[in-house]
Amino acid sequence: MTDDDTIRPFRIDIPQAAVDDLRYRLDNARWPDEVPGTGWSRGVPVDYLKDLAGYWAGGYDWRAQEARLNEIPQYTTEIDGQAIHFLHARSPEPDALPLLITHGWPSSVVEFQQVIGPLTDPRRHGGDPADAFHLVVPSLPGFGFSTPLREAGWGDLFRVASAFAELMSRLGYDRYAAHGGDVGAGVTGMLPMVAAGKVVGTHINGPGSFPFGPPVDLTGLAGVDRRRAERFNEFQRDGMGYLHVQATRPQTLGYSLTDSPIGQLAWIVEKYQAWTDPAAKLPEDAVDRDQLLTNVSVYWYTRSGASSANFTYEGMQAFRAYVEQAGAAGSGPVAPGGPPMGVAVFAADNSIRSLLDPTGAIQHWSEFDRGGHFPAMETPDLLVSDLRTFLRPLR
């Protein structure tokens, strides 16, 4: 059987029965007890989540957010037997450079709402029209509306990169740039290997040492690099519970994420507290609360909590096999002989250039004192500016 390569328009249209069911479940949730005075040290505090869930049920307007998302042109197509959903926002500038953007976990295409306008139409947003991009923003297989998964194996980032390269070819883009964060950074890094000669540059945010590798040696590190190393080592000791669970027992976790919106909310919100700008005490201090809940709602309505966890499981299996064969646990983000790479490091990131890029192979490296793991939501101005700066000479 061959793929149907038709590209079909897509609109988000969640049935009202599903919206009503979510509100019912939120209103009738069972809440755990907690040890007094523990704050965020053991996970999301009950009082905080009760307040956020109450707003999700009674103040947040899904239909308004759904309409906003539907203002962005969306499509689906079948690649390698899997339905792939994507945003495709073309610039009004005829010479715009195509740019493929890939999200990570626990994210979705919702993450990029605030950067679509400035990137596609800089003329209307105080920028230079020569910096315009045609944007293609796919949902990773098993995430959002690229569901349900039809078979195992989509956690292999090489397979995902191959599928996204095919998507760009179907759209008629034979020369383009790519950006990604988290898992999306991995996909972005592999694109030049599967689309040789087509990718003019790759840009990623927040790369770090592989979390299952050894702790970072603090010897010789000072200032901000030492603080990043200490934070990474602390993450290894105390912040990897989610990764161990998703990488080993995704199906067991999936029952809670699929049946309980409180469980799905807590699973994602914890990361928005831990991974955003260190100056932000609460997730909504770092990102817009409605945009955060729209991201969680997409996970809930598409039942992609379980399939995204399985994506993590398969990705970790593939990476461990690669490490065993190549001994590459400490390898950096640069592929030898590839196109120029740009890296943006935000305040919450643990990236240390001397460790990740000891030979200076990365052509563009920016560090910012604001933002974190979700820069398109936290500091869209910084991300847009860095993409423009890095890709300007590569057009």
Side-chain angles (χ1 to χ4, degrees), residues 115 118-119 127 131 133 203 344 346 364 366 368 370 375 379-393:
V115 301
L119 288 174
D131 288 328
F133 299 94
H203 184 277
F346 296 88
H364 173 93
S366 299
F368 302 101
R370 294 188 287 130
T379 52
D381 57 329
L382 298 181
L383 179 60
V384 167
S385 177
D386 204 59
L387 282 166
R388 289 173 177 171
T389 299
F390 168 61
L391 292 171
R392 192 172 292 137

Side-chain angles (χ1 to χ4, degrees), residues 27 49 71 79 96 101-102 153 190 239 254 280 288 309 332 351 364 366 369:
D27 288 341
L49 205 66
E71 292 174 0
I79 301 176
I101 296 181
T102 306
M190 291 185 178
D288 178 77
S351 311
H364 173 93
S366 299
D369 61 3

